[in-house]
Amino acid sequence: MESIMIVEAFSTGVNLITDCVRRGYHPLILYPLLPAGAAPVMFQARAAIKQKYSGVADFFDEVDSYEDTLALVRSLHPILILVGSEYGVDLAIRLSDDLGLPGNPYARIGNYIHKDEQQAALVKQGIRSICGRIVRSEEDALSYYHEKAFRG
């Protein structure tokens, strides 16, 4: 049976597990290393998900080096890598790109995770976008608001 990897099946991303099964694929769940100070609820949620989907999906944890994680994922032969939550975006896109799987190129990761870069990419392609700019203080925000407010 072919497998699909879900990086960080969390929150609504858990639904991807049953979606894979319904479509005849075996779900592989990869949990990325969490940043220092991650909320305890993340660890509790992961444990609950592992327990609920035990026997349905296989679970793996990211290892300390990216190269070792890449080797692990390569050995599992997924046909696709999906993002299961925002914590998995960077790792999923990088793995997918390095394995030559369908997806977005890692070289444009900023377009996927930084709102200002997303909007700039849309503008560059002539696609409707949201106006905005990065502000660093309340004063910057108020200045921008007064520049743009109520202009139709």
Side-chain angles (χ1 to χ4, degrees):
M1 177 184 292
E2 293 181 310
S3 297
I4 293 178
M5 177 163 281
I6 304 163
V7 179
E8 189 62 73
F10 184 76
S11 186
T12 57
V14 171
N15 296 325
L16 295 171
I17 297 171
T18 52
D19 289 346
C20 286
V21 172
R22 271 192 226 122
R23 288 171 171 80
Y25 297 99
H26 181 71
L28 306 170
I29 314 307
L30 177 64
Y31 283 119
L33 297 171
L34 288 173
V41 70
M42 289 291 295
F43 297 99
Q44 295 163 354
R46 285 179 173 185
I49 293 164
K50 285 179 182 179
Q51 182 178 0
K52 181 176 180 177
Y53 292 98
S54 165
V56 174
D58 291 323
F59 292 85
F60 304 88
D61 293 315
E62 179 182 10
V63 290
D64 289 332
S65 84
Y66 175 75
E67 292 73 23
D68 290 343
T69 300
L70 178 62
L72 168 66
V73 173
R74 181 177 280 121
S75 74
L76 298 169
H77 307 287
I79 62 162
L80 186 65
I81 298 177
L82 302 174
V83 176
S85 89
E86 68 179 285
Y87 294 109
V89 172
D90 189 88
L91 183 58
I93 292 172
R94 187 173 180 195
L95 288 167
S96 186
D97 194 40
D98 285 346
L99 293 172
L101 297 173
N104 296 310
Y106 188 72
R108 293 198 314 244
I109 188 71
N111 291 356
Y112 320 129
I113 62 174
H114 300 296
K115 300 297 183 205
D116 59 313
E117 291 183 37
Q118 290 173 3
Q119 296 307 311
L122 293 172
V123 168
K124 186 176 178 179
Q125 296 299 316
I127 299 172
R128 186 174 59 90
S129 64
I130 299 169
C131 67
R133 78 171 173 225
I134 295 174
V135 296
R136 306 253 185 253
S137 67
E138 182 179 347
E139 184 179 281
D140 286 350
L142 288 171
S143 173
Y144 183 72
Y145 171 78
H146 291 299
E147 286 175 28
K148 297 293 181 181
F150 306 110
R151 295 189 180 188

